């Protein structure tokens, strides 16, 4: 007989962990006790040596779906007393309240079985849930995680539900959102005329969808706008009403077989799709032409599987694929409150499938890509947040304010970093409000009062303004972090690296330390600082922000830089003379060293696109038309006072030649991207020789490009570098806050006040 102490950290509260243990100890004839602590659970258990070993193994293997064991410490202690039974004892109150909170989880198999069991008391109940599934983060107002502190507070559990809740052998033991027809929230439909329909609301919604209408459906973290994805007219209608010209819509497929009809799915993608997090997964279309009106020229479709009981009930009604796009007016955050949704979406939706379970915080669907068998997040939100990123260093309490586009923030607590959900582009006061509220909410949830703030070095970002104000008001030191340094640090932290690296940071735009705009950078350094050792020849942007939308201006600009004039056969618009003048006199023409803008220029020159509706569209289009080829353009690397500069003018010359020879845009696009790949390896190789550094991190929005990413990674590995990519946070600006935290901790900011 032996006695041991088990100290378990992670998500082990509110996820059915103690009942699971209760059952498991019986299997192994183990006695003792278990209790919740501030960071997990503590157990003292007694039993035969062998059964203790097997018990621990089982505990790790079979632990409840939503639980996460971060750390399990085993310590043998003396047999001072003999336990007669196993008890759950009262939690010890710790000095500091702090627990991890589970993200929202899709409805589990057990609940699904009941949902469709005619004899079950929750047959077709749209809010069925249990300890293993259901809403969490989006309904929690405060901790500890008790029903009282969630939006389920107003629903008093009925007798039967209370019994389930209190019975340790029941799978709804301590399931805070537990409810049923008798005591829980209800669902109803509101038609175009504003009539409330309580009888068979789901059938009503499905009828609307089948008729080609658009329905707003309330979900876990907000409303979706939905229509039949196989009805092109309905989808086009939605596009028009939403004023969304080209950005692809997300789809929800009835089951994995339905998705396989349209897309290729490998084993990893299937795993991500079916995980309880239920993100949108970008999948390669089987036929490039299918769902043209959903994803335009895109070769990928964003698919997810149903995740709420309501979704499953909808798909029961003979529907295969739904458009499920976040319900918001363009650039505004997702709608999540009934009243506001009814008002603001009235011009888009023909009807509303709505319920009276309040959503406390917004949380958009996550978007994930698979790369090398791992997740490659593009948007880390529902199902992931607020699960922390764990790093191998205690960095204390820091607030990192993120960037501006795809904004997010991070709050650290020792070696946990809590990244916010998707906030959106900070273009309006609503988004900014959402951002500020979430910072407050996270600070409260995780009991973090930061003693340092980090923000982007860009003086005009709203997040920077916020950081400056907060730092002043609360007397907290502030650290300004260079944008691409933050990208680099983010990828380092994502991979738990703490050494000198070469960072290839390619993105749209970020504020450089020389006060110009960067975006095609080769940095060397670590969390404490960096040096810029490589970049690309700066691109003039005639008209500044205007050129980011009217990308033909960037096309003109690179042509002008190359030929000192805009060649006659490339004057796509009448205003070429005016723009030539701007370029010649450098009027309102900032210079940016951005790969994103170089993509825009090439998209314009090969005339696949002259104006874009969202940032980065030029790059997306080039990726989509590309064909695999080995060819590339000759290029030149200038060596300017210790900075290697990729000079694209030679490439532009050759592209113009190719265009004049009527080469296919698909071939030019691939040759251009191959050139980027070769120039990248060339510059990294030179920097490697200079610095003897062998580790390379790849970060920045351009690395969402699945033509470039695998090739650059592969080529660099071939010449002996260790190459690291993102797998826990996004490679775009959403992931920046993580890097800001680490840099602020190490005092690596550009400026600190
Ligand atoms: Zn369940
Ligand atoms: Zn009930
Ligand atoms: Fe960026």
């Amino acid at each position: 007989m032996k006695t041991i102490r088990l100290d378990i950290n992670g998500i082990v509260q509110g996820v059915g962990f103690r009942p699971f243990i209760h059952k498991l100890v019986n299997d192994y004839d183990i006695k003792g006790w278990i209790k919740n602590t501030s960071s997990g659970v503590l157990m003292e258990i007694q039993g035969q040596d062998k059964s203790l070993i097997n018990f621990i193994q089982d505990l790790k293997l079979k632990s409840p779906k939503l639980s996460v064991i971060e750390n399990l410490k085993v310590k043998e202690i003396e047999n001072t007393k003999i336990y007669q039974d196993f008890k759950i004892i009262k939690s010890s109150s710790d000095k500091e309240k702090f627990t991890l909170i589970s993200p929202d989880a899709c409805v589990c198999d057990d609940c699904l079985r009941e949902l469709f069991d005619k004899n079950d008391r929750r047959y077709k109940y749209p809010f069925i849930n249990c300890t293993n599934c259901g809403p969490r983060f989006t309904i929690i107002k405060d901790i500890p995680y008790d029903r009282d502190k969630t939006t389920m507070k107003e629903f008093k559990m009925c007798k039967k539900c209370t019994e389930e809740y209190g019975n340790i052998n029941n799978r709804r033991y301590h399931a805070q959102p537990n409810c049923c027809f008798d005591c829980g929230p209800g669902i109803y439909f509101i038609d175009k005329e504003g009539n409330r329909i309580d009888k068979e609301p789901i059938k009503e919604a499905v009828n609307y969808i089948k008729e080609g209408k658009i329905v707003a459906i309330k979900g876990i973290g907000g409303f979706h706008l939905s229509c039949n994805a196989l009805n092109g007219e309905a989808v086009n209608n939605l596009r028009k009403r939403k004023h969304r010209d080209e950005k692809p819509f997300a789809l929800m497929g009835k089951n994995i077989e339905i998705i396989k009809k349209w897309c290729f799915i490998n084993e990893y993608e299937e795993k991500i799709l079916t995980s309880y997090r239920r993100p949108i997964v970008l999948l390669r279309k089987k036929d490039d032409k299918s769902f043209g009106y959903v994803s335009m020229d895109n070769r990928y479709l964003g698919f997810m599987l149903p995740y709420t009981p309501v979704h499953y009930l909808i798909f029961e009604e003979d529907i295969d694929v739904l458009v499920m796009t976040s319900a918001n007016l363009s650039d505004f955050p997702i709608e999540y409150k009934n009243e506001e949704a009814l008002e603001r979406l009235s011009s888009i939706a023909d009807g509303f499938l709505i319920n009276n379970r309040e959503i406390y915080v917004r949380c958009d669907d996550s978007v994930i890509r698979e790369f090398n068998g791992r997740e490659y997040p593009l948007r880390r939100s529902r199902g992931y947040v607020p699960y922390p990123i764990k790093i191998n260093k205690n960095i204390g309490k820091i607030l990192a304010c993120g960037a501006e586009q795809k904004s997010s923030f991070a709050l650290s607590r020792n070696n946990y970093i809590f990244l916010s959900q998707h906030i959106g582009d900070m273009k309006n006061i609503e988004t900014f409000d959402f951002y500020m509220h979430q910072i407050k909410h996270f600070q409260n949830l995780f009991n973090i009062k930061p003693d340092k703030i980090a923000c982007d070095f860009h003086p005009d970002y709203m997040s920077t303004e916020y950081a400056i104000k907060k730092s002043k008001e609360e007397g907290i030191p502030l650290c300004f972090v260079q944008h691409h340094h933050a990208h680099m640090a983010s990828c380092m932290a994502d991979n738990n690296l703490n050494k000198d690296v070469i960072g290839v940071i390619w993105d749209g735009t970020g504020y450089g330390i020389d006060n110009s705009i960067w975006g095609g950078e080769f940095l060397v350094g670590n969390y404490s600082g960096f040096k810029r050792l490589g970049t690309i020849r700066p691109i003039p942007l005639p008209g500044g922000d205007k050129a980011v939308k009217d990308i033909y201006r960037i096309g003109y600009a690179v042509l002008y830089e190359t030929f000192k004039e805009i060649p006659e056969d490339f004057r796509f618009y009448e205003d070429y003379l005016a723009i030539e003048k701007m370029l010649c006199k450098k009027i309102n023409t900032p210079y940016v060293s951005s790969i994103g803008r170089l993509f825009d220029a090439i998209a314009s020159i090969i005339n696949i696109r002259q104006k874009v509706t969202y940032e980065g569209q030029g790059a997306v289009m080039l990726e989509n038309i590309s064909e695999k080829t080995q060819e590339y353009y000759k290029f030149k690397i200038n060596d300017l006072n210790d900075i290697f500069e990729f000079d694209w003018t030679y490439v532009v010359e050759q592209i113009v030649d190719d265009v004049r020879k009527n080469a296919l845009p698909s071939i030019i696009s691939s040759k251009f991207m191959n050139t980027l790949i070769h120039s990248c390896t060339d510059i990294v190789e030179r920097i490697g020789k200079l610095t003897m550094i062998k580790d390379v991190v790849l970060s920045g929005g351009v690395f969402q490009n699945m033509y470039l990413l695998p090739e650059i990674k592969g080529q660099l590995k071939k010449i002996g570098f260790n190459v690291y990519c993102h797998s826990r946070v996004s490679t775009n600006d959403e992931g920046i806050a993580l890097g800001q935290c680490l840099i602020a901790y190490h005092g690596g900011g550009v400026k600190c006040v």
Side-chain angles (χ1 to χ4, degrees), residues 121-122 156-161 179-184:
R121 72 188 189 93
R122 290 189 180 86
K156 201 178 169 311
M157 262 187 262
C158 68
K159 211 175 142 230
K160 277 186 186 155
C161 286
C179 58
C180 70
F181 279 110
D182 293 335
C183 64

Side-chain angles (χ1 to χ4, degrees), residues 209-213 227-237 291 293 321 323:
I209 288 168
K210 283 182 177 167
E211 283 168 24
K213 290 177 181 159
C227 67
N228 182 358
L230 300 167
N231 180 341
E233 208 184 312
V235 180
N236 280 331
N237 237 337
F291 286 109
Y293 41 84
V321 194
V323 165

Side-chain angles (χ1 to χ4, degrees), residues 107 154 184 249 323 350 372 378 580 660:
V107 54
E154 54 185 293
F249 285 133
V323 165
D350 298 306
N372 286 168
L378 304 179
E580 226 173 42
R660 286 180 176 150

Side-chain angles (χ1 to χ4, degrees), residues 225-495:
L225 286 164
S226 183
C227 67
N228 182 358
L230 300 167
N231 180 341
E233 208 184 312
V235 180
N236 280 331
N237 237 337
L238 174 57
R239 219 173 254 297
K240 253 185 252 148
R241 292 192 202 167
K242 217 188 162 200
H243 302 294
R244 176 146 151 163
D245 295 335
E246 287 167 300
K247 252 191 183 170
F249 285 133
L251 300 176
M252 185 179 275
K254 179 179 183 143
N255 51 42
I256 195 106
E257 282 69 39
I258 292 285
I259 303 179
K260 278 179 184 165
K261 249 169 86 177
W262 306 103
C263 295
F264 298 105
I265 304 179
N266 67 31
E267 57 175 313
Y268 306 111
E269 288 163 338
E270 180 157 349
K271 231 172 135 183
I272 303 170
L273 271 170
T274 53
S275 93
Y276 75 83
R277 305 173 186 278
R278 285 293 200 277
I280 296 166
V281 182
L282 292 196
L283 302 168
R284 188 76 164 83
K285 284 184 193 171
K286 281 188 172 163
D287 169 10
D288 284 352
K289 298 280 176 293
S290 61
F291 286 109
Y293 41 84
V294 166
S295 71
M296 310 309 274
D297 302 323
N298 213 304
R299 285 174 177 173
Y300 294 86
L301 283 171
F303 255 116
M304 61 183 150
L305 285 167
Y307 55 88
T308 70
V310 174
H311 297 153
Y312 280 96
L313 291 169
I314 290 173
F315 282 109
E316 268 307 282
E317 305 287 332
D318 192 29
I319 288 257
D320 278 351
V321 194
L322 289 174
V323 165
M324 285 293 252
T325 184
S326 298
N328 58 333
L329 305 177
S330 49
D331 297 331
F332 283 83
I334 185 169
E335 297 297 342
Y336 71 119
K337 287 192 163 147
N338 291 358
E339 295 300 308
E340 289 172 10
L342 284 169
E343 196 189 306
R344 292 192 197 143
L345 302 174
S346 60
S347 59
I348 306 177
D350 298 306
F352 292 81
L353 187 60
I354 208 163
N355 66 66
N356 60 341
R357 183 176 69 196
E358 195 196 324
I359 297 170
Y360 187 68
V361 294
R362 289 187 179 95
C363 202
D364 277 86
D365 295 319
S366 295
V367 185
I368 308 286
R369 216 160 189 168
E370 178 267 334
F371 178 56
N372 286 168
R374 298 168 82 185
E375 292 191 352
Y376 194 68
L378 304 179
R379 179 197 286 172
R380 185 184 178 274
S381 203
R382 180 190 47 77
Y384 294 82
V385 175
Y387 191 67
I389 304 292
K390 204 179 168 200
I391 54 167
N392 51 13
K393 185 155 190 119
N394 178 348
I395 63 166
K397 294 173 181 172
I398 297 171
L399 166 66
C401 294
E404 175 101 336
Q405 287 181 334
K406 302 191 160 74
S407 62
S408 73
F409 62 85
L411 271 160
S412 72
R413 192 191 167 96
N414 306 341
N415 51 357
Y416 288 133
I417 299 180
F418 298 92
L419 258 73
S420 73
Q421 70 270 51
H422 169 76
I423 307 270
D425 294 354
M426 240 146 22
K427 284 182 182 167
N428 49 54
I429 208 73
E430 280 77 4
T431 312
F432 187 49
D433 255 5
F434 173 33
Y435 171 83
M436 290 191 296
H437 272 107
Q438 284 308 299
I439 290 181
K440 230 170 147 187
H441 183 51
F442 270 63
Q443 273 195 243
N444 178 50
L445 274 188
F446 302 110
N447 193 16
I448 299 173
K449 196 183 170 327
D451 38 41
K452 218 178 240 175
I453 301 177
C455 69
D456 199 279
F457 186 52
H458 201 305
D460 300 331
Y461 280 178
M462 279 168 106
S463 57
T464 306
E465 238 168 78
Y466 170 85
I468 293 171
K469 188 159 168 268
K470 189 175 170 88
S471 143
K472 269 191 196 140
E473 279 175 7
E474 298 176 27
I476 309 169
L478 176 62
C479 175
F480 293 87
V481 178
Q482 199 279 323
H483 188 90
H484 303 98
H485 187 205
H487 271 302
M488 178 170 103
S490 160
C491 193
M492 289 171 64
D494 198 334
N495 290 285

